[in-house]
């Protein structure tokens, strides 16, 4: 990344995020900037981008649903976030210029201010670094783009090559409306000048609003250069105004992730049918079938295979493990004891469910309709059919029969089940915890156990089978 690091100036970067608007077209009670893209609030994407940009300070302008919006992003900054996050309120909302005016008391004069919108989630950090670079710390830099249909956007008006103004759609002359270069809503501007220009804004325009975009005229009048940094990628400046646009951007985001994974060597059965809502890390020769959803932090080891229709959250799957179709894995917080671990060469599913704290060793087999929670299974242990293991410690090579369950909950407390190495638990057993099954023992099918079992023994706890010879079934009365 040395190339992009060179673009960073010595001037501190302070980010301002406009997020006071209502978002009427979402037709939702949830404030627009809290709608989720790839599992994160739109505004969180923007704040995380600011974090990656190594902003000194991020100021979010809130209005509609302010309390909810502030609570949602507070203390939730990206992993790289080492900045000061603060909020200013804008009530009522009198336009983008009025919004940024609210930040004046908290903006320091020595910074360069990058203005972003809370509903434009997919701007890339290197684009913003380039924008900051072209601003040079003393110019007004506008991020622009050419749109075949520029309707609704502010137009970049130039004299020759030199930017003169941004004219909003509703204020534009027919000739100006033909301009296809539009303002993206993103700019980089020296704080000191910005403050002076904000003080000069008025609302004498078609919408009766204070337009942030009017500062371009003031810059020109003051002899400060205005530079346009034009990009090609519309996704980076696309805003979310409706559920349709949200879904479009979700797909655009997922495509980016899918392409990056494939470039790294991951085989995706269909890049259009993958959803990553967090961080998916893959070693060499991983393959992922269709319709898989990954959440939180998921690590897939070398050669790991994920079958179709799996949901995997906060889990580390070791090398050559196979996750068969329709498996549901839901680990707790990454790095915590509740994250799920699947050992090398393990076979999981189809239709398996691994819950928080499932720790499976190498070559463990978990079959269909088996649920594992807060349990450790050592190398080679198997639970192949219709079973529950909760709060259990399971030794190497244990075979846990179909339909068996750990009765781990007495209605008040959870208790532990210990199944030592090489135990065979028959089908349909109930192991009432706390209980320890001694190594090498066998438990007869259908047993309900509430006492520890000795090593190497056969333990059976069920009514003895009897047969009554020549039994006559009752006859129906005539
Ligand atoms: C704005 C630009 C326009 C640009 C377009 C790009 C102005 C005057 N115009 O237009 O040149 O092409 O973005 O999308 O800036 N907001 C507030 N408080 C307000 C008004 C808006 O916080 O009082 C927030 C909104 O929530 C939104 C952002 O500012 O996140 C942009 O506002 P919006 O109303 O979408 O501006 P546009 O009219 O689209
Ligand atoms: Mg808009």
């Amino acid at each position: 990344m040395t190339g992009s690091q060179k673009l960073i100036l010595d001037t501190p970067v302070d980010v301002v995020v406009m997020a006071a608007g209502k978002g009427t077209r979402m037709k939702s009670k949830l404030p627009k900037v809290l709608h989720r893209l790839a599992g994160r609030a739109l505004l969180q994407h923007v704040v995380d981008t600011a974090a990656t940009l190594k902003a000194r300070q991020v100021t979010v302008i809130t209005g509609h649903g302010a309390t909810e919006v502030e609570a949602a992003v507070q203390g939730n900054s990206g992993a790289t976030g080492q900045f000061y996050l603060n909020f200013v309120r804008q009530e009522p909302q009198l336009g983008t210029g009025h919004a940024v005016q609210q930040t004046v008391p908290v903006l320091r004069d020595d910074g360069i201010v990058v203005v972003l919108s809370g509903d434009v989630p997919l701007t890339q950090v290197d684009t913003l670094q380039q924008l900051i670079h072209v601003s040079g710390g003393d110019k007004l830099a506008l991020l622009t783009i050419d749109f075949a249909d520029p309707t609704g956007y502010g137009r970049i008006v130039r004299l020759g090559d030199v930017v003169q103004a941004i004219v909003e759609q509703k204020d534009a002359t027919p000739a100006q409306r033909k301009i296809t270069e539009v303002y993206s809503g993103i700019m980089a501007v020296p704080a000191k000048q910005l403050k002076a220009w904000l003080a000069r804004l008025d609302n004498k325009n078609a919408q009766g609003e204070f337009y942030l975009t009017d500062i371009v005229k003031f810059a020109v009048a003051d002899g400060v250069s205005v530079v346009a940094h034009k990009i090609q990628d519309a996704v980076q400046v696309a805003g979310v105004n409706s559920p349709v646009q949200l879904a479009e951007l979700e797909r655009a985001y997922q495509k980016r992730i899918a392409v990056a994974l494939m470039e790294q060597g991951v085989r995706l059965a269909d890049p259009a049918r993958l959803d990553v809502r967090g961080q998916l890390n893959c070693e060499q020769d991983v393959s992922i079938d269709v319709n898989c959803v990954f959440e939180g932090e998921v690590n897939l080891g070398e050669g790991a295979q994920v079958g179709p229709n799996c949901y995997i959250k906060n889990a580390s799957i070791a090398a050559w493990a196979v996750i068969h179709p329709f498996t549901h894995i839901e680990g707790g917080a990454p790095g915590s004891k509740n994250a799920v671990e699947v050992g090398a060469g393990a076979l999981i599913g189809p239709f398996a469910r691994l819950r928080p704290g499932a720790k499976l060793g190498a070559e463990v087999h978990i079959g269909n309709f088996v649920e594992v929670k807060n349990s450790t299974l050592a190398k080679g242990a198997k639970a192949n059919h219709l079973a529950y293991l909760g709060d259990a410690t399971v030794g190497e090579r244990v075979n846990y029969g179909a339909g068996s369950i750990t009765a781990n909950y007495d209605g008040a407390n959870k208790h532990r089940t210990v199944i030592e190495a090489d135990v065979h638990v028959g089908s349909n057993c109930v192991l009432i915890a706390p209980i320890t099954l001694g190594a090498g023992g066998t438990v007869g099918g259908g047993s309900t156990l509430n006492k520890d079992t000795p090593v190497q023994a056969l333990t059976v706890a069920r009514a003895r089978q009897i047969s009554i010879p020549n039994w006559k079934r009752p006859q129906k009365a005539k």
Side-chain angles (χ1 to χ4, degrees):
M1 286 298 285
T2 30
S4 56
Q5 272 164 3
K6 263 189 243 145
L7 295 178
I8 301 169
L9 304 170
D10 291 336
T11 320
V13 173
D14 293 324
V15 170
V16 162
V17 186
M18 296 187 291
K22 191 164 182 195
T24 316
R25 279 180 285 158
M26 287 306 288
K27 298 188 178 159
S28 168
K29 282 188 179 148
L30 189 68
K32 176 165 81 174
V33 293
L34 296 187
H35 282 267
R36 287 174 177 270
L37 185 140
R40 255 183 306 159
L42 295 172
L43 177 57
Q44 192 66 54
H45 281 268
V46 180
V47 170
D48 290 349
T49 302
T52 317
L53 195 60
K54 300 205 162 42
R56 170 174 67 181
Q57 164 180 300
V58 177
T59 305
V60 180
I61 305 159
T62 59
H64 278 283
T67 324
E68 209 180 330
V69 171
E70 290 165 14
V73 288
Q74 187 72 268
N76 202 16
S77 52
T80 47
Q82 288 299 328
F83 54 81
Y84 177 62
L85 177 65
N86 60 353
F87 300 93
V88 298
R89 297 266 176 110
Q90 184 202 15
E91 321 257 15
Q93 287 88 42
L94 304 178
T96 52
H98 177 250
V100 179
Q101 279 172 350
Q102 312 311 307
T103 68
V104 167
V106 301
L107 287 182
R108 284 158 66 174
D109 283 343
D110 62 338
I112 176 146
V113 176
V114 174
V115 177
L116 303 174
S117 283
D119 59 355
V120 180
L122 299 186
T123 319
Q124 293 193 336
V125 171
D126 58 352
T127 299
L128 296 177
Q129 284 169 341
Q130 284 153 13
L131 185 73
I132 293 166
H133 181 71
V134 300
S135 89
D138 59 359
K139 293 184 273 300
L140 169 55
L142 307 171
L143 190 66
T144 70
I145 187 164
D146 274 316
F147 278 153
D149 177 9
T151 313
Y153 289 91
R155 308 299 205 280
I156 304 294
V157 178
R158 294 174 184 256
L159 194 63
D161 261 354
V162 187
V163 177
Q164 298 295 309
I166 299 173
V167 178
E168 294 304 307
Q169 167 86 18
K170 287 184 179 153
D171 302 285
T173 63
Q176 288 170 334
R177 286 186 187 183
K178 292 207 176 81
I179 298 171
T180 54
E181 187 184 7
V182 303
Y183 172 53
S184 66
I186 295 172
M187 64 168 68
V189 47
K192 214 170 164 192
Q193 269 95 340
L194 174 66
K195 288 180 176 182
W197 295 329
L198 287 172
R200 286 154 66 181
L201 292 180
D202 64 48
N203 62 353
K204 292 181 196 125
N205 52 54
Q207 301 185 83
E209 285 184 8
F210 295 88
Y211 292 163
L212 177 61
T213 44
D214 279 350
I215 70 170
V216 175
K217 288 185 300 202
F218 303 143
V220 171
D222 290 356
V224 174
S225 317
V226 181
V227 284
H229 177 59
K230 201 195 279 188
I231 59 166
Q232 310 292 329
D233 180 10
V235 166
Q236 293 198 43
V237 296
V240 172
N241 296 300
S242 67
V244 169
Q245 289 173 343
L246 180 59
E248 282 169 0
L249 281 197
E250 177 77 40
R251 280 307 104 207
Y253 175 90
Q254 295 301 343
K255 190 177 168 196
R256 260 192 206 170
I257 301 278
V259 167
L261 287 169
M262 291 186 295
E263 280 172 354
Q264 215 187 287
V266 176
R267 260 89 75 198
L268 298 177
D270 182 356
R273 283 182 287 171
L274 170 78
D275 282 83
V276 179
R277 301 172 189 157
Q279 184 65 39
L280 174 60
N281 306 309
C282 297
E283 303 285 333
Q284 202 165 27
D285 287 317
V286 162
S287 70
I288 301 172
D289 215 320
V290 298
N291 293 333
C292 292
V293 177
F294 297 91
E295 276 190 29
E297 190 184 306
V298 176
N299 302 301
L300 298 178
E302 184 181 350
Q305 294 174 37
V306 181
N309 301 300
C310 291
Y311 171 87
I312 304 183
K313 176 177 181 179
N314 294 331
S316 286
I317 316 285
W320 307 104
V322 179
I323 313 295
H324 287 295
F326 297 98
T327 290
H328 188 281
I329 299 179
E330 186 174 11
S336 77
K337 70 176 182 31
N338 284 328
V340 166
E341 287 169 18
V342 173
L347 304 179
I348 312 297
F351 296 101
R353 181 169 184 216
L354 305 182
R355 292 175 51 205
K359 309 275 182 200
L360 313 184
E363 291 153 47
V364 162
H365 293 187
I366 299 293
N368 42 212
F369 307 106
V370 174
E371 174 182 348
V372 182
K373 186 219 75 173
N374 189 30
S375 293
T376 304
L377 279 73
K379 186 176 178 190
K382 295 187 172 88
N384 273 325
H385 325 270
L386 301 159
Y388 177 55
L389 281 162
D391 305 310
T393 304
V394 178
E396 291 190 2
R397 297 170 302 277
V398 162
N399 194 310
Y400 192 75
S404 289
I405 66 147
T406 52
N408 56 327
Y409 185 51
D410 61 14
N413 297 299
K414 301 271 174 69
H415 301 283
R416 208 136 189 103
T417 298
V418 178
I419 306 176
E420 292 177 353
D422 299 301
V423 165
H424 277 225
V425 176
S427 297
N428 209 34
C429 292
V430 180
L431 310 179
I432 301 174
I435 190 168
T436 297
L437 309 188
T442 303
V443 179
S447 294
T448 296
L449 304 184
N450 62 355
K451 291 197 288 284
D452 292 354
T453 63
V455 300
Q456 302 299 341
L458 167 66
T459 303
V460 184
R462 62 172 190 243
R464 194 173 276 274
Q465 180 171 330
I466 59 163
S467 297
I468 298 173
N470 300 315
W471 173 254
K472 297 275 184 298
R473 284 192 294 271
Q475 304 286 304
K476 212 171 194 173
K478 291 212 166 109

